[in-house]
Amino acid sequence: MTAAVRPAPPPGPAPLRIALIASARHPIRDPFAGGLEAHTWTLSKALRARGHEVTVFAGPDSDPALGVVEMPLRPSRISEGARRDPSMVASQWLEEHHAYLQLMLDISGRPARYDIVHNNSLHYLPVAMAAALSVPVVTTLHTPPTPWLESAIQAAPHCPVRFSAVSDHTAAAWRHVVPAATVVRNGIDTRRWHYGPGGEELVWSGRIVPEKGAHLAIEAAQLAGRGLRLAGPVGDTEYFEACIHPRLDRTITYAGHLSQPELCELVGSSAAAVVTPCWDEPYGLVIAEALACGTPVCGFARGALPEIVTGDCARLVPPGDCAALAKVVEPTIGLSRADARRHAEAFCSMEVMTRSYERFYRSVSE
């Protein structure tokens, strides 16, 4: 008897051709200028690994492995007369404006090249010009509301852009102009952010700017009697020199702007991560990175932080309360590092994020 021939399984969804618009100012490469650049790098690599064709538009000097199409920042030749005009803006603003303008014009001239355009930058022009494109445009909301982006959303009677937001908190902050943003939380590659052994000192990582609150992490660590290691790019030199550098000593140290492997080793060899935002943090990628390393988190319950962690892997206190933060340092260190890692894998992983973006893209493209 001839065996029955089984029908071939139905083919899966076709791969997507995605134009991923990133920052024109900062390169997408390690060490990253900030969380947005790290997110773009991770997302582009993950989408390609799942078979999609991804074209990344970003600033010069980005990671060659991404095959980035550069958005050149060409200095504008502005006459002295024009510079004296009251409407004159910063040269950097003009350079970025024309870089994104040229990009959108180029994409609109090649309507069959992409299935979807994902604006993963903070710039308003991809939103303002979305109606000129014949393919769907999506934008991820990474920050609290900004005037230029709000204005772009309202420029036409009906904004054709579909929006995602990196947290419930961020989606709520934009609800007055974006009634229904799809929440797609940021994720990190848990293979690159590997489990660490822990240690005796605390760690704080991120851009060293006032709104990230590194000075408050120092205060809490000193009150708790624990050493603290800081790492990240200095985004505000005056703040660093006035509020951070004078407090560095044998127990409070600054490791510099580290590459991802170096930062992973630092975070993974720490007792706990301290997260001290002085603003409503839209997500908090440093939390995901710490948890993936098995390092529990203590910090301020502000912005999106409360929706990212659970009591199994973190302790949060009222914003700005360094005394309360110091009191939860030891309980935080006592939390299970294995539980912290498991939470990162289930909630903050690159795989979870990428599958969510795939569902989002296809819902927009249908």
Side-chain angles (χ1 to χ4, degrees):
M1 180 181 293
T2 303
V5 177
R6 295 177 181 237
L16 294 170
R17 299 169 301 166
I18 304 163
L20 186 61
I21 302 175
S23 169
R25 176 60 54 180
H26 300 293
I28 309 302
R29 70 180 307 155
D30 186 23
F32 298 104
L36 178 58
E37 289 72 31
H39 174 266
T40 302
W41 188 91
T42 300
L43 179 59
S44 63
K45 300 275 278 190
L47 288 170
R48 282 178 177 157
R50 292 178 67 84
H52 302 290
E53 180 185 320
V54 183
T55 304
V56 181
F57 297 93
D61 300 321
S62 293
D63 184 351
L66 297 183
V68 165
V69 177
E70 290 188 4
M71 291 188 285
L73 298 171
R74 300 186 182 93
S76 300
R77 294 188 293 272
I78 308 299
S79 68
E80 285 303 315
R83 289 182 183 279
R84 288 193 295 269
D85 188 272
S87 66
M88 179 62 190
V89 295
S91 297
Q92 177 178 318
W93 188 96
L94 287 176
E95 292 171 8
E96 292 189 2
H97 173 88
H98 288 100
Y100 283 102
L101 175 61
Q102 188 60 56
L103 170 62
M104 295 303 289
L105 291 172
D106 289 345
I107 293 177
S108 68
R110 296 186 291 172
R113 180 67 182 83
Y114 306 106
D115 298 311
I116 196 163
V117 175
H118 181 173
N119 174 33
N120 204 45
S121 77
L122 306 181
H123 208 270
Y124 65 93
L125 266 179
V127 174
M129 296 183 66
L133 274 59
S134 59
V135 297
V137 177
V138 301
T139 288
T140 297
L141 300 170
H142 286 278
T143 68
T146 59
W148 284 100
L149 192 50
E150 277 198 12
S151 175
I153 293 169
Q154 301 172 73
H158 171 70
C159 179
V161 178
R162 289 277 297 276
F163 292 90
S164 65
V166 296
S167 63
D168 291 328
H169 172 83
T170 302
W174 282 91
R175 196 160 290 145
H176 58 290
V177 287
V178 181
T182 299
V183 175
V184 180
R185 292 181 177 86
N186 292 342
I188 49 107
D189 188 344
T190 52
R191 294 166 300 183
R192 299 182 77 237
W193 293 95
H194 56 75
Y195 189 85
E200 295 298 319
E201 295 176 294
L202 305 174
V203 66
W204 182 98
S205 60
R207 287 184 301 114
I208 300 182
V209 291
E211 61 266 26
K212 296 290 186 178
H215 61 291
L216 300 180
I218 294 174
E219 183 176 342
Q222 290 174 330
L223 289 173
R226 286 270 178 175
L228 174 69
R229 298 180 291 181
L230 303 135
V234 176
D236 187 322
T237 303
E238 290 184 6
Y239 167 71
F240 180 82
E241 293 299 331
C243 302
I244 306 301
H245 188 265
R247 304 175 75 174
L248 300 179
D249 56 22
R250 184 175 56 83
T251 60
I252 308 296
T253 59
Y254 173 54
H257 186 192
L258 304 179
S259 67
Q260 186 277 328
E262 292 170 332
L263 185 58
C264 179
E265 292 301 321
L266 181 75
V267 175
S269 63
S270 299
V274 186
V275 184
T276 49
C278 298
W279 71 316
D280 289 336
E281 192 71 56
Y283 180 80
L285 205 60
V286 296
I287 296 175
E289 294 166 354
L291 296 178
C293 294
T295 303
V297 170
C298 56
F300 296 149
R302 186 163 188 178
L305 271 62
E307 68 185 80
I308 300 173
V309 299
T310 69
D312 291 334
C313 59
R315 292 289 183 269
L316 300 181
V317 302
D321 193 336
C322 290
L325 185 57
K327 289 179 181 178
V328 300
V329 165
E330 296 304 321
T332 301
I333 294 172
L335 295 173
S336 165
R337 296 184 67 86
D339 284 348
R341 172 70 183 188
R342 278 191 287 269
H343 182 71
E345 291 173 334
F347 194 80
C348 311
S349 73
M350 176 180 71
E351 290 78 14
V352 171
M353 174 187 71
T354 309
R355 287 195 298 269
S356 295
Y357 268 117
E358 283 180 318
R359 290 191 294 269
F360 179 51
Y361 293 156
R362 295 197 187 280
S363 72
V364 171
S365 301
E366 291 172 354

